[in-house]
Amino acid sequence: MKLTIVGCAGSFPRADAACSAYLLEADGFRLLLDMGNGALGALQRHIGLFDLDALLVSHLHGDHCFDACTYVVARRYCQEAPLPTIPLYAPAGTLDRFSRAYEVQPGNAKLEDVYEERALAPGALDIGPFRLTVDRMNHPVETFGVRVEHDGSTLAYSADSGPTAALEGLARGVDVFLCEATFSDLQANPPDLHLTGGEAGRFATLAGVGQLLLTHLTTWSDPRLTHEAAAGAYDGPTRIVASGETYDI
């Protein structure tokens, strides 16, 4: 598998990064995990505008899904239209939510001309050449973390989550653990919302992962302190990702 960090900013885009969007490629198939605000422009640095084969949205906070609405305009009104629909794996009701955000007018299709919605639920599913396992995370809205397997290689993606045993289960023994680290370890944080660098490191240790990639840092995050906290809890390779980076898994 090839992983491209399309966007990695938490909560809103940074000057150097769009919000969450992670491109997985294998056997010529392209799966995008999340499509937060700013991601559509950044995605075009890596693949063609219409080259996506499937989209998975972990949850309906804007920094993980808003550009999936913008993408409707590109696919619906391009010179090549009509294009084939894209499978959209997301929490139940996502297409209705996107339709409201898009402000569909009476008489227009409710985005079914662009997306074919497939509701996520805990368990296993196949998307193209990938075998996925999804489970609910600890976040205020329904949120799914993801384990992806292909040809003996494994990746886990936390999405957004506070501490939860489900995250350890998804990440068990993976080659790469792409984990959010939004909060600081040096202050009291709201419960059941996000992880700190230290918590991400502890989950990486508990799950026995091969490499820890930290993501979803906000503008006011201190990357050095986040990395130090994670590395203090996990003795394997640890890195804070940056937009445009690629990883072979």
Side-chain angles (χ1 to χ4, degrees):
M1 291 185 287
K2 177 184 177 182
L3 168 67
T4 300
I5 310 300
V6 177
C8 56
S11 300
F12 55 88
R14 301 195 308 263
D16 63 346
C19 285
S20 292
Y22 309 96
L23 180 65
L24 278 177
E25 299 175 83
D27 299 342
F29 192 93
R30 298 178 175 100
L31 167 65
L32 190 65
L33 303 178
D34 284 335
M35 200 175 193
N37 39 332
L40 181 56
L43 180 65
Q44 295 172 70
R45 301 186 188 115
H46 307 286
I47 63 173
L49 181 59
F50 307 122
D51 287 346
L52 274 186
D53 295 297
L55 171 62
L56 186 148
V57 170
S58 65
H59 67 292
L60 295 181
H61 282 158
D63 59 326
H64 292 257
C65 73
F66 271 176
D67 269 26
C69 295
T70 306
Y71 196 37
V72 170
V73 177
R75 294 189 70 90
R76 179 178 279 176
Y77 298 111
C78 67
Q79 291 181 335
E80 296 87 349
L83 297 174
T85 57
I86 296 179
L88 170 66
Y89 299 84
T94 290
L95 208 55
D96 283 341
R97 172 72 176 274
F98 284 178
S99 295
R100 294 196 302 273
Y102 187 75
E103 296 185 327
V104 170
Q105 299 299 312
N108 286 0
K110 291 182 66 177
L111 310 191
E112 289 94 343
D113 59 321
V114 174
Y115 294 117
E116 178 186 342
E117 185 177 23
R118 302 178 185 181
L120 290 173
L125 70 153
D126 294 318
I127 303 178
F130 303 109
R131 181 67 169 175
L132 277 70
T133 304
V134 300
D135 205 353
R136 288 189 176 91
M137 298 290 96
N138 183 11
H139 203 52
V141 300
E142 186 175 45
T143 302
F144 291 93
V146 183
R147 179 188 181 100
V148 185
E149 303 178 47
H150 176 266
D151 197 24
S153 298
T154 50
L155 164 79
Y157 169 48
S158 67
D160 284 0
S161 183
T164 173
L167 184 56
E168 179 186 347
L170 283 181
R172 175 66 58 190
V174 298
D175 299 305
V176 173
F177 183 25
L178 179 62
C179 186
E180 71 125 292
T182 309
F183 282 155
S184 169
D185 288 271
L186 302 179
Q187 63 189 45
N189 298 303
D192 305 323
L193 186 59
H194 289 295
L195 297 173
T196 67
E199 288 169 336
R202 286 191 285 277
F203 275 104
T205 296
L206 287 170
V209 308
Q211 182 179 10
L212 174 60
L213 300 180
L214 301 171
T215 190
H216 205 268
L217 276 68
T218 61
T219 297
W220 48 79
S221 297
D222 187 321
R224 179 182 61 82
L225 293 178
T226 298
H227 185 273
E228 287 179 355
Y234 169 67
D235 62 6
T238 304
R239 180 177 177 82
I240 295 175
V241 302
S243 291
E245 291 181 341
T246 61
Y247 298 85
D248 292 322
I249 304 172

